């Protein structure tokens, strides 16, 4: 049992001006954390208790899934990353930690970096330690601090520069076994979030910088989330925006046969989809082809979409380039022959087609029977463009961003969309990673193979705040039982009243016996202040002792989430409290 008067819970009436979202405000107001600087927070005693509880549940579920705990350094030799596969995309977010003034290396090359994640450390380790199929499969995890120089740290612990992550890595001999390891950890994640008492939806996700064969994100639905999830409850389909597909183009859709002959027409000054839609003799966005030029690993390529669709850049990952970016107008004109605004891929109109690494068309352009597109001459377009007859296409694919209401790819029911906070991510990496450093094992015939890997992360500190975001009301936090810093709060109305103190102490002991962590509010404060603080810090079960209650022979028992208090007769109160707590614990 902790007594509030001796403990340290610095609650605040006002939230700091930089706190924009409810969970960030409550994090500070309830005394769970304090800001040191942008994206850097001290976990105050109450916040630390929650972190420890979340970590403990996470540990239990990872162990249950067969994962083994270890702990790797936070400081990494920079070479480890510079020689690895991700230096390009991740160096921007890595903090450098140079030892001062040695003058041995060029000033721009860091000696050490602070670890943003640990694939680069564990893969060489396991390469060195595991050489035989007999030692596979193996799964490892750790819970520790990660460092990322986020461009825009915000929302408190949600996007911090230093944060706590559970990261796990699996090593298997075969693809089948790697899938089993992946599913075991997916199960551990599901159990973990269920036990915390938060709703987290697993969605298909893009593999991004990690590459690999498939991936799921765990999302806590919340208005303030950074991601969109598309889902249909009935079919069970769920994917994040980057990965979401729809059945907009039905399977086996037959493209309309070509109609009228291709016709060139002048469009002076028209450089946008909307402009062409409003132009006399133009065409609505749905009947336009939009041609975008990107650069993949140094070579330009074209993407063709319907005028009404948006490109989902993450889907360009399917093209296999390591680095992709939009082309500049200066890069576009020499290749296409026109400035952006009059681009198209009608056969024979591209100025230097050999310069293109390909023309990739979104499936949905098949829905356009009779389209309009740029002629690769400034101020000129074509109408009556047929996808099959007129357009140059290297290959079709899914490149567009889906929209809410489109048919879901599993059953054709309308896709719904909502915002979500990414709290966890799992990747099946395959051999992409082990190949880079030739990490493998020998089988029973003494033949060598690469490890089939998976990697996994849960944002422990982000989850802490996501719980608050999902579980609060106008008065404060409403902690789910499993992660509450204390589960029972005994509020003593008058700490000077010796009889009440004795009852309160007994009730606290009974709650502890039932399995709760108990906080006794014995501060010399007015009851109003105590009740306000109690609601703010959100302890699930509050027992109020003193005042009129004692005269009437009762103790008041109140759940944080419910408006009604229950009057428990004094002589039954210890047994009742113990039983109520035991039923929850
Ligand atoms: P995000 O897309 O939010 O930037 P990420 O995809 O870069 O995250 P991962 O590398 O997959 O993150 O890390 C695993 C988990 O760590 C994430 O699911 C998230 O919960 C957490 N996490 C990542 N970055 C941060 C951060 N800056 N602050 C707090 N938690 C983070
Ligand atoms: Mg992620």
């Amino acid at each position: 049992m902790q007594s509030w008067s001796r403990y340290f819970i610095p609650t605040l009436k006002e939230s700091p001006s930089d706190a924009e979202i409810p969970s960030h405000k409550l994090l500070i107001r309830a005394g769970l954390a304090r800001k040191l600087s942008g994206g850097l927070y001290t976990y105050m005693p109450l916040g630390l208790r929650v972190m420890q509880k979340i970590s403990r549940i996470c540990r239990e579920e990872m162990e249950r899934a067969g994962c083994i705990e270890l702990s790797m350094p936070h400081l990494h030799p920079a070479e480890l990353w510079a020689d690895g596969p991700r230096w390009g995309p991740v160096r921007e977010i890595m903090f450098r930690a140079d030892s001062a003034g040695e003058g041995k290396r060029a000033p721009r090359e860091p000696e050490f970096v602070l670890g943003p994640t640990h694939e680069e450390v564990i893969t060489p380790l396991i390469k060195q330690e595991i050489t035989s199929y007999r030692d596979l499969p193996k799964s490892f995890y750790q819970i520790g601090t990660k460092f990322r120089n986020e461009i825009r740290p915000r929302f408190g612990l949600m996007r911090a520069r230093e944060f706590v992550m559970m990261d796990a890595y699996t090593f298997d001999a075969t693809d089948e076994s790697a899938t089993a390891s992946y599913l075991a950890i997916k199960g551990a994640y599901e159990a973990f979030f269920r036990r915390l008492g938060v709703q987290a939806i697993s969605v298909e996700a893009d593999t991004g910088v990690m590459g690999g064969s498939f991936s799921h994100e765990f999302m806590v639905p919340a208005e303030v989330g950074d991601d969109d999830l598309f889902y249909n409850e009935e079919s069970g389909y769920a994917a994040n925006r980057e990965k979401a597909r729809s059945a907009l183009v039905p399977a086996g859709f037959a493209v309309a046969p070509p109609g009228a002959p291709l016709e060139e027409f002048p469009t002076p000054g028209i450089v946008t989809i909307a402009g062409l839609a409003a132009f006399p003799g133009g065409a609505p966005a749905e009947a336009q082809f939009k041609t975008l030029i990107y650069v993949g690993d140094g070579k330009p390529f074209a993407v063709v979409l319907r005028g009404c669709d948006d490109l989902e850049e993450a889907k360009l990952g399917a093209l296999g380039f390591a680095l992709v970016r939009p082309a500049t107008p200066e890069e576009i004109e020499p290749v296409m022959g026109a400035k952006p605004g009059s681009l198209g891929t009608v056969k024979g109109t591209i100025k230097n087609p050999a310069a293109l690494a390909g023309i990739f068309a979104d499936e949905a352009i098949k829905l356009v029977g009779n389209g309009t597109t740029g002629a690769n001459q400034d101020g000129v377009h074509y109408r009556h463009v047929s996808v099959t007859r007129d357009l140059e296409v290297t290959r079709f694919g899914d490149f567009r961003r889906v929209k809410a209401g489109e048919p879901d790819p599993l059953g054709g029911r309308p896709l719904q969309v909502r915002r979500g906070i990414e709290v966890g991510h799992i990747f099946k990496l395959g051999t992409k990673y082990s190949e880079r450093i030739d990490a493998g094992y020998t089988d029973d015939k003494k033949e060598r193979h690469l490890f089939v890997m998976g990697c996994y992360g849960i944002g422990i500190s982000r989850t802490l705040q996501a719980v608050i975001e999902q579980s609060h009301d106008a008065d404060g936090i409403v902690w789910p039982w499993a992660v509450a810093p204390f589960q029972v709060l005994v509020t003593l109305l008058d700490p000077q009243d010796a009889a009440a103190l004795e009852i309160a102490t007994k009730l606290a002991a009974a709650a502890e016996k039932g399995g709760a962590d108990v906080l006794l509010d014995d501060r010399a404060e007015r009851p109003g202040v105590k009740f306000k603080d109690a609601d703010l810090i959100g302890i699930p079960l509050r027992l109020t002792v003193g005042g009129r209650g004692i005269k009437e022979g009762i103790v008041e028992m109140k759940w944080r989430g419910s408006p009604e208090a229950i009057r428990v007769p004094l002589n039954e109160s210890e047994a009742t409290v113990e039983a109520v707590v035991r039923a929850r614990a």
Side-chain angles (χ1 to χ4, degrees):
M1 184 189 56
Q2 281 290 354
S3 76
W4 197 321
S5 63
R6 275 185 290 118
Y7 202 58
F8 192 57
I9 310 174
T11 57
L12 299 173
K13 283 204 181 63
E14 303 290 329
S15 46
S17 57
D18 70 336
E20 300 165 55
I21 64 172
S23 59
H24 185 187
K25 292 178 180 166
L26 290 171
L27 181 81
I28 307 298
R29 284 193 53 211
L32 299 164
R34 284 293 181 264
K35 180 174 162 180
L36 171 64
S37 158
L40 298 175
Y41 288 86
T42 296
Y43 300 102
M44 303 295 275
L46 213 56
L48 185 62
R49 289 184 71 95
V50 180
M51 281 270 280
Q52 286 166 340
K53 289 194 174 181
I54 295 175
S55 303
R56 189 190 310 146
I57 295 171
C58 188
R59 250 184 208 104
E60 284 170 13
E61 292 308 324
M62 293 307 285
E63 300 274 341
R64 204 195 304 278
C67 253
I68 308 160
E69 189 169 12
L70 48 58
S71 175
M72 293 177 268
H74 296 116
L75 208 53
H76 302 170
E79 290 91 352
L80 207 58
W81 285 88
D83 299 343
R86 288 188 289 172
W87 181 240
V90 298
R91 67 184 301 177
E92 294 300 316
I93 58 131
M94 279 198 282
F95 285 108
R96 297 150 171 236
D98 300 340
S99 54
E102 291 302 313
K104 286 188 194 135
R105 36 182 81 228
R108 296 192 155 275
E109 285 309 312
E111 201 170 345
F112 294 100
V113 292
L114 289 171
T117 168
H118 279 78
E119 286 80 8
E120 271 72 359
V121 176
I122 199 163
T123 316
L125 173 77
I126 298 307
K127 174 184 177 174
Q128 180 185 303
E129 299 298 327
I130 296 184
T131 53
S132 162
Y133 73 100
R134 283 189 207 90
D135 295 322
L136 294 174
K138 279 278 180 292
S139 306
F140 300 98
Y141 79 97
Q142 61 177 354
I143 296 179
T145 305
K146 298 283 185 270
F147 301 87
R148 295 186 186 178
N149 196 2
E150 297 280 357
I151 305 166
R152 207 152 78 88
R154 60 174 191 156
F155 295 168
L157 305 178
M158 290 283 190
R159 187 167 299 284
R161 291 201 158 106
E162 185 182 317
F163 58 96
V164 177
M165 198 201 285
M166 185 291 297
D167 48 322
Y169 309 89
T170 55
F171 298 85
D172 284 83
T174 64
D175 198 64
E176 211 181 351
S177 163
T179 301
S181 298
Y182 180 90
L183 292 176
I185 293 188
K186 187 164 182 274
Y189 274 42
E190 280 155 4
F192 166 72
F193 289 114
R194 197 168 44 240
R195 281 184 63 189
L196 294 196
V198 289
Q199 185 204 3
I201 304 172
S202 69
V203 304
E204 285 179 30
D206 183 55
T207 50
V209 167
M210 296 303 305
S213 33
F214 51 84
S215 148
H216 286 86
E217 279 173 358
F218 283 75
M219 310 288 268
V220 169
E223 276 307 306
V224 303
D226 278 342
D227 298 282
D228 286 323
L229 31 144
F230 287 86
Y231 65 100
N232 182 281
E233 236 138 359
E234 280 170 80
S235 74
Y237 179 80
N240 72 9
R241 196 198 63 211
E242 294 172 344
K243 187 80 180 179
R245 292 166 289 128
S246 79
L248 192 66
V249 184
F253 177 80
V255 185
L262 195 64
E263 185 183 309
E264 203 180 277
F265 67 106
T267 50
I270 300 298
V271 290
T272 60
I273 299 289
L276 190 58
F279 184 74
E286 300 77 45
Q288 296 184 35
F289 299 104
K290 168 153 78 182
T291 306
L292 305 172
I293 309 298
Y294 272 71
V295 177
D297 298 342
K299 203 163 178 195
F301 64 90
V303 187
V304 186
L305 301 145
R306 290 190 305 172
C308 57
D309 284 332
D310 289 315
L311 172 68
E312 179 51 64
E313 278 197 12
K315 290 185 177 177
L316 297 178
L319 300 175
F321 299 109
L323 273 179
V324 167
R325 62 167 174 84
T328 62
E330 294 69 39
E331 289 169 319
I332 293 171
E333 205 172 349
V335 178
M336 302 300 287
K339 295 192 186 67
S342 292
L343 304 180
T345 62
V346 170
K347 287 171 186 162
T349 65
I350 298 171
K351 187 174 173 194
N352 182 9
L356 286 178
I359 298 170
F360 305 101
D362 184 73
E363 288 286 342
I365 69 164
K366 292 178 178 170
L367 300 171
V368 182
N370 178 359
T372 299
T373 193
N376 293 322
Q377 289 174 54
D378 293 337
V380 183
H381 280 78
Y382 280 118
R383 59 167 71 102
H384 306 316
V385 180
S386 149
V387 170
T388 48
R389 182 189 62 194
D390 305 317
L391 286 190
E392 195 81 67
V393 173
T394 311
R395 87 169 133 97
F396 286 92
D398 173 27
F399 302 112
R400 65 188 288 276
R401 181 174 288 184
V402 305
K403 297 187 182 108
E406 288 177 11
D408 96 57
L410 297 185
R413 299 176 188 88
L415 283 172
Q416 286 155 289
V417 64
R418 66 200 291 189
R419 306 289 288 168
I421 300 164
E422 179 196 324
V423 284
H425 204 160
I426 57 182
F427 295 90
K428 187 175 163 217
L429 289 171
T431 54
K432 181 189 152 111
Y433 224 81
S434 40
E435 200 177 348
R436 288 298 293 249
I437 65 156
D438 191 33
Y441 66 96
T442 49
D443 66 14
D444 55 352
K445 297 179 192 70
K446 295 269 176 290
E447 272 176 47
R448 197 156 183 289
H449 306 275
L450 295 168
F451 294 129
V452 188
M453 289 176 59
C455 70
Y456 314 83
I458 289 178
I460 298 288
S461 46
R462 183 183 285 182
T463 297
L464 184 161
Q465 208 182 307
V467 173
I468 303 175
E469 193 62 42
Q470 197 169 74
S471 194
H472 69 268
D473 62 17
D475 300 318
I477 303 170
V478 184
W479 286 114
W481 187 269
V483 298
F486 295 94
Q487 281 111 0
V488 173
L489 173 67
V490 183
T491 300
L492 194 53
L493 292 179
D494 177 10
Q496 308 300 338
D497 180 341
L501 177 62
E502 196 191 323
I503 296 166
T505 311
K506 281 189 175 152
L507 285 177
E512 272 185 339
K513 206 164 153 216
D517 295 321
V518 182
L519 179 65
L520 174 68
D521 188 354
D522 57 350
R523 295 174 300 164
E525 290 283 0
R526 284 180 292 108
V529 172
K530 293 190 171 195
F531 291 142
K532 265 206 153 33
D533 272 349
D535 282 347
L536 179 59
I537 70 166
I539 307 304
L541 187 62
R542 189 182 76 204
L543 307 168
T544 306
V545 182
R548 223 176 40 216
I550 293 216
K551 289 188 202 99
E552 292 169 9
I554 61 112
V555 166
E556 211 183 73
M557 186 165 84
K558 186 180 169 301
W559 292 99
R560 173 64 180 83
S562 112
E564 302 296 326
I566 305 157
R567 290 160 61 90
V568 184
L570 253 180
N571 57 354
E572 293 166 19
S573 60
E574 281 172 66
T576 304
V577 165
E578 189 187 331
V580 163
V581 168
R582 204 178 289 285
R584 289 306 288 265

